[in-house]
Amino acid sequence: MSDIQQQFAARLKTLRAQRHWSLDKAATETGVSKAMLGQIERGESSPTLTTLWRLAKGYGVGFSTLIEPIEQGLEMDKAARVTPRDSALAVKTILPFDVGLHTELLDVEIEPGGLRESDGHRRGVIECVLVQSGELSVFSDDQWHRLRTGEAHRFRADQSHAYRNESQDEPARFLNVLVYP
Amino acid sequence: MSDIQQQFAARLKTLRAQRHWSLDKAATETGVSKAMLGQIERGESSPTLTTLWRLAKGYGVGFSTLIEPIEQGLEMDKAARVTPRDSALAVKTILPFDVGLHTELLDVEIEPGGLRESDGHRRGVIECVLVQSGELSVFSDDQWHRLRTGEAHRFRADQSHAYRNESQDEPARFLNVLVYP
DNA sequence: TAGGGTTGTGCGCTATAACGTACAATGCGC
DNA sequence: GCGCATTGTACGTTATAGCGCACAACCCTA
């Protein structure tokens, strides 16, 4: 068993735990057998490219996320879920939702200290966030990601996620691209 | 043989060609047998994670660089037509292509008068364009669309399309979102 | 407590990854 | 032209990836 195999085993185990999936559920979602998933997670097997691809698609992550460790973002205080400024959000629709092109483009501005939470959209929705000004923190995949102006982040938006302006002085503006399945 | 296998085959072949390595040389550098390298490049075999790791290390590329299909690379590198101002383009990748999240985010700048044409991508690809500065014309669905700063346009990119900076004085900058099926 | 369902693991079988070897084709130098 | 080295491919062998199935352990409900 190689080092990468062991590292990958841990990574796969984390991905499943984050989603609260059983091996059975994961097998259904990925198309890889339950027995094989177990072997991989225990580091007993080195999956092929085809299997890796299935895993990536099933878990809804990119290869880089699948193989490489989760970026160690700044650990945010998750306790402050409720804020008095939840409505401090201005949304301007640039491209409205379109059935045929299944995308949506929004220009969003959050006031200083503002927080916006979402329980998640329907299954398969993906969001891209590009910070246009200020500093923004994005909560996705169970952790906070801090983004400065010009930086971007992308995640599955069919799970709970949130946006927070860390600054107490100036608003944060970001471009929000929503991609529907 | 799966799609990802085929795409990976092309990628590996390109990596080797870029270095002007023979299979023998590549085998020495990666520790993967010559026969196996040949099989993988011809798409006859789906390499395991351990082998993939060896390839990444041997070719001196990051794991995500190794895996991500070259076909899904930069929009601007693909099927380029030769125009008198074709090189007057600067592309910055904000979010590289990702198989699981099937999106790509680019920051593109075209010099005054610059034109960029594309024959179109594979079936189902959608593009969103948001002009950040200057004036841009986008050719899609058999007609030109003129966009000013802050304006956006969206179209199916599996057909021929083009970008043109109408100004002779200043560059145009736009955000290019590519959504893959 | 008993019964049913879920969960993760182990086992044996089949398909294939990975290899070393042989070889045809090609290129180069004499 | 000949001999040698290189190149990529095909083949057969071994190890293992991937699977379906069985099962022990656990959990929940009546």
Side-chain angles (χ1 to χ4, degrees):
Chain A
M1 177 175 62
S2 64
D3 275 357
I4 189 64
Q5 210 172 319
Q6 201 163 6
Q7 178 184 329
F8 181 66
R11 181 79 186 109
L12 199 64
K13 210 162 185 164
T14 300
L15 282 175
R16 187 163 64 87
Q18 283 174 342
R19 287 158 179 75
H20 306 293
W21 286 356
S22 64
L23 280 176
D24 201 57
K25 169 72 173 174
T28 300
E29 297 297 326
T30 62
V32 178
S33 75
K34 183 169 67 163
M36 193 61 205
L37 286 171
Q39 276 180 268
I40 300 170
E41 286 189 12
R42 296 192 298 278
E44 292 168 5
S45 181
S46 179
T48 62
L49 177 62
T50 302
T51 299
L52 287 170
W53 186 82
R54 282 184 178 151
L55 293 173
K57 286 207 73 173
Y59 279 110
V61 298
F63 273 107
S64 54
T65 306
L66 183 65
I67 304 297
E68 287 166 3
I70 297 177
E71 285 180 13
Q72 202 60 0
L74 194 59
E75 193 60 41
M76 295 299 166
D77 180 15
K78 298 183 186 176
R81 288 267 175 159
V82 181
T83 78
R85 310 294 297 269
D86 195 40
S87 57
L89 212 62
V91 179
K92 176 185 165 192
T93 302
I94 300 174
L95 289 176
F97 174 74
D98 180 286
V99 172
L101 298 172
H102 55 88
T103 51
E104 194 173 6
L105 193 53
L106 309 173
D107 186 340
V108 186
E109 179 172 299
I110 311 192
E111 288 190 0
L115 168 73
R116 176 70 181 199
E117 293 177 299
S118 169
D119 284 336
H121 309 288
R122 62 181 170 94
R123 183 178 171 75
V125 176
I126 289 159
E127 284 196 31
C128 297
V129 176
L130 173 63
V131 180
Q132 301 276 63
S133 65
E135 278 194 27
L136 185 76
S137 287
V138 182
F139 181 80
S140 70
D141 295 301
D142 289 321
Q143 67 181 23
W144 285 94
H145 308 261
R146 191 150 189 169
L147 307 172
R148 285 165 298 186
T149 301
E151 290 182 336
H153 179 60
R154 171 176 51 187
F155 55 95
R156 294 190 56 145
D158 52 6
Q159 326 172 35
S160 69
H161 56 281
Y163 304 96
R164 186 166 68 195
N165 182 355
E166 300 291 348
S167 172
Q168 302 299 328
D169 302 318
E170 56 181 289
R173 232 178 95 239
F174 66 94
L175 194 67
N176 193 201
V177 182
L178 291 102
V179 181
Y180 298 85
Chain B
M1 179 175 60
S2 65
D3 274 358
I4 189 66
Q5 209 174 314
Q6 202 163 4
Q7 288 161 6
F8 181 66
R11 183 50 181 262
L12 199 64
K13 211 164 186 165
T14 300
L15 283 176
R16 189 164 64 86
Q18 284 172 343
R19 289 159 178 71
H20 304 294
W21 286 355
S22 64
L23 281 175
D24 202 57
K25 168 71 173 175
T28 300
E29 296 297 325
T30 62
V32 178
S33 75
K34 183 170 65 164
M36 193 60 205
L37 287 171
Q39 276 181 271
I40 300 170
E41 287 190 10
R42 295 191 298 279
E44 292 169 5
S45 182
S46 179
T48 62
L49 177 63
T50 303
T51 298
L52 289 169
W53 186 245
R54 282 184 179 150
L55 293 173
K57 285 175 61 178
Y59 279 111
V61 297
F63 209 76
S64 55
T65 304
L66 179 68
I67 298 288
E68 284 169 4
I70 188 168
E71 179 188 352
Q72 314 294 348
L74 292 179
E75 139 81 8
M76 297 302 167
D77 284 350
K78 185 171 168 62
R81 287 189 187 270
V82 179
T83 73
R85 309 295 297 265
D86 199 38
S87 56
L89 218 60
V91 180
K92 176 186 166 193
T93 302
I94 301 174
L95 290 174
F97 174 75
D98 181 290
V99 172
L101 299 173
H102 54 86
T103 51
E104 192 173 9
L105 190 55
L106 310 172
D107 186 332
V108 187
E109 179 171 298
I110 311 191
E111 286 190 2
L115 168 71
R116 178 70 182 197
E117 296 177 297
S118 170
D119 283 338
H121 311 291
R122 64 180 172 96
R123 182 175 174 79
V125 176
I126 291 160
E127 283 195 31
C128 297
V129 175
L130 173 64
V131 181
Q132 301 277 66
S133 66
E135 280 193 26
L136 185 76
S137 285
V138 181
F139 182 80
S140 70
D141 297 301
D142 292 319
Q143 64 180 8
W144 285 96
H145 308 262
R146 191 143 188 174
L147 307 173
R148 283 165 300 186
T149 301
E151 292 183 335
H153 179 59
R154 171 176 50 186
F155 56 96
R156 296 185 61 116
D158 51 5
Q159 333 172 36
S160 68
H161 56 279
Y163 306 97
R164 188 168 64 197
N165 181 355
E166 300 292 348
S167 172
Q168 300 301 326
D169 302 318
E170 58 182 289
R173 227 178 99 236
F174 66 95
L175 201 62
N176 193 201
V177 182
L178 292 99
V179 181
Y180 298 84

